[in-house]
Amino acid sequence: HEAENTKEIIYKFMEEELQISNPRDKIEFQRIHQVGKPKHDGPRPIITRFLHYADHKMVLHQARKTLKDKEFSVKTFQKNCIS
């Protein structure tokens, strides 16, 4: 199942690149999905929505600390709300 594979890719990325130990035990997602159609020239971006804001903050902190001068990037997007 693609969603399960995508989730596993994210957990593995957190362990290996962000140096977060045991992310499966402490980080939950509301939703994970890939963007666009499958392509032959490289991986598609993965969008994650964390269940808890504290997890989002911690992952972003680790990304800034560990991904300098690497081929990966982590970006954050905020949902605009209109009331």
Side-chain angles (χ1 to χ4, degrees), residues 1 3 6 9 11 14 16 19 22-23 33-36 38-39 51-52 54 56 59-60 72-73 78 80 83:
H1 189 265
T6 304
I9 290 168
Y11 281 137
M14 288 178 173
E16 295 177 1
Q19 300 168 3
N22 304 315
H33 66 277
Q34 291 183 299
V35 178
K39 26 183 193 171
L51 189 59
H52 306 287
H56 164 91
V59 167
L60 208 52
F72 303 108
S73 66
Q78 294 183 353
N80 293 327
S83 57

Side-chain angles (χ1 to χ4, degrees), residues 2-15 18 20 22-33 46-60 74-75:
E2 185 178 331
E4 290 301 315
N5 291 340
T6 304
K7 188 175 187 179
E8 189 54 37
I9 290 168
I10 292 297
Y11 281 137
K12 187 175 179 181
F13 177 79
M14 288 178 173
E15 287 175 329
L18 301 184
I20 297 172
N22 304 315
R24 289 165 193 83
D25 297 335
K26 52 187 166 188
I27 297 175
E28 293 180 89
F29 302 102
Q30 183 174 359
R31 181 180 166 116
I32 300 175
H33 66 277
I46 298 174
I47 306 279
T48 62
R49 185 169 186 178
F50 295 89
L51 189 59
H52 306 287
Y53 181 73
D55 293 341
H56 164 91
K57 232 174 134 174
M58 185 266 297
V59 167
L60 208 52
V74 173
K75 298 177 182 170

